[in-house]
C-alpha cells in the first residue's frame, strides 16, 4: 500500500507571516525554507485530492505579531488557503484544544495525520503529542518545521537546530514517525 491510500490529512500548523520576524522569536531560525517545503507538501496534497487543514494561531495578546489584525496573523504566501479549505483558529499551543479539529477529522474518518509548520518545540510538538495520544497515526515532516534559539533555565543559549532536533527526538517513535519531505513524497 502506498502512503496516499491511508488518506492522510495534512495539518499545516501556524505557517503565518509573524514567524518571518526572527528577532521577535529568539533569533537564528533553522530551516529557513520550511514554509516553501510546506508549500510543496500542500501542492502534493491538493494534486492528490487529500484533505488539508490550515491551523493558525490567534494570540490573545494584542501586541503579539500573531494577534488578529496584525500583519503577522496572515498566512505565509506559500500556504494560502483556497476558498472552501478548512481553517482552524486556535489560541493555545495545541490545534485540538478549543477547536473543532478532532471532530472534523473524525467526521471524515481520518486516522493518519501529516504535521508540518511552526514552531517545532511549541505548537507542532504539542499538536503532535495530542494527536498521538488521541490515537492518530501521526507523521512529522522535519524539514517542513522550524524553530528559533532558546534560552535555558540557567540563562544558557540553545541553538535552534539543537532545539529542533531534540524536539523531534522527543516525538520520534513515542508520538509520531519523523520523516523528511523527500521520504514522504517517495512513499506517496
Amino acid at each position: 500500500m502506498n502512503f496516499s491510500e491511508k488518506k492522510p490529512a495534512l495539518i499545516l500548523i501556524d505557517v503565518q507571516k509573524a514567524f518571518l520576524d526572527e528577532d521577535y522569536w529568539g533569533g537564528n531560525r533553522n530551516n529557513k525554507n520550511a514554509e516553501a517545503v510546506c508549500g510543496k507538501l500542500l501542492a502534493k496534497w491538493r494534486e492528490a485530492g487529500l484533505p488539508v487543514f490550515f491551523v493558525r494561531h490567534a494570540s490573545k495578546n494584542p501586541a503579539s505579531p500573531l494577534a488578529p489584525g496584525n500583519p503577522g496573523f496572515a498566512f505565509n504566501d506559500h500556504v494560502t488557503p483556497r476558498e472552501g479549505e478548512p481553517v482552524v483558529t486556535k489560541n493555545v499551543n495545541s490545534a485540538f484544544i478549543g477547536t473543532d479539529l478532532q471532530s472534523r477529522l473524525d467526521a471524515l474518518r481520518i486516522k493518519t495525520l501529516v504535521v508540518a509548520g511552526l514552531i517545532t518545540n511549541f505548537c507542532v510538538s504539542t499538536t503532535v503529542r495530542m494527536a498521538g495520544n488521541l490515537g492518530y497515526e501521526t507523521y512529522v515532516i522535519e524539514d517542513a518545521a522550524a524553530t528559533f534559539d532558546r534560552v535555558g533555565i540557567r540563562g544558557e543559549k540553545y541553538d535552534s537546530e539543537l532545539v529542533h532536533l531534540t524536539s523531534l527526538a522527543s516525538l520520534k517513535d513515542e508520538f509520531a514517525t519523523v520523516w523528511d519531505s523527500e521520504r514522504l513524497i517517495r512513499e506517496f
Side-chain angles (χ1 to χ4, degrees):
M1 173 194 311
N2 72 28
F3 189 73
S4 63
E5 290 173 8
K6 293 182 177 211
K7 305 263 188 264
L10 178 62
I11 312 293
L12 294 168
I13 306 283
D14 301 349
V15 188
Q16 293 167 264
K17 291 182 178 181
F19 293 112
L20 297 174
D21 180 357
E22 285 190 44
D23 291 338
Y24 183 87
W25 303 103
N28 190 36
R29 185 182 138 169
N30 76 321
N31 281 355
K32 294 182 192 298
N33 222 18
E35 291 92 341
V37 176
C38 287
K40 289 178 186 174
L41 297 179
L42 175 59
K44 187 74 173 169
W45 251 252
R46 285 174 172 162
E47 176 187 310
L50 293 170
V52 177
F53 292 83
F54 297 83
V55 177
R56 65 180 170 194
H57 192 86
S59 177
K60 294 179 182 180
N61 174 0
S64 169
L66 288 169
N70 288 342
F73 181 69
F75 285 103
N76 184 285
D77 294 341
H78 289 286
V79 297
T80 304
R82 291 180 179 162
E83 190 169 332
E85 290 179 326
V87 174
V88 175
T89 302
K90 64 181 180 55
N91 304 111
V92 296
N93 298 95
S94 173
F96 290 101
I97 301 289
T99 73
D100 64 352
L101 179 60
Q102 184 179 2
S103 61
R104 287 184 187 211
L105 293 169
D106 291 349
L108 295 172
R109 295 194 169 116
I110 292 169
K111 303 288 184 209
T112 305
L113 306 181
V114 173
V115 180
L118 302 161
I119 299 176
T120 312
N121 49 310
F122 291 135
C123 297
V124 170
S125 177
T126 305
T127 298
V128 166
R129 287 169 184 269
M130 283 202 69
N133 285 334
L134 291 169
Y136 295 101
E137 180 182 0
T138 307
Y139 294 79
V140 184
I141 309 308
E142 66 92 7
D143 58 333
T147 193
F148 303 87
D149 284 355
R150 297 293 299 159
V151 175
I153 61 171
R154 296 179 186 95
E156 67 278 27
K157 189 174 194 176
Y158 294 102
D159 181 77
S160 60
E161 185 68 8
L162 177 63
V163 173
H164 179 74
L165 293 173
T166 305
S167 298
L168 294 172
S170 296
L171 298 174
K172 181 182 174 290
D173 300 331
E174 184 69 24
F175 299 99
T177 299
V178 179
W179 283 352
D180 64 17
S181 60
E182 288 182 17
R183 168 84 187 266
L184 178 63
I185 299 303
R186 270 197 321 271
E187 296 291 333
F188 246 77

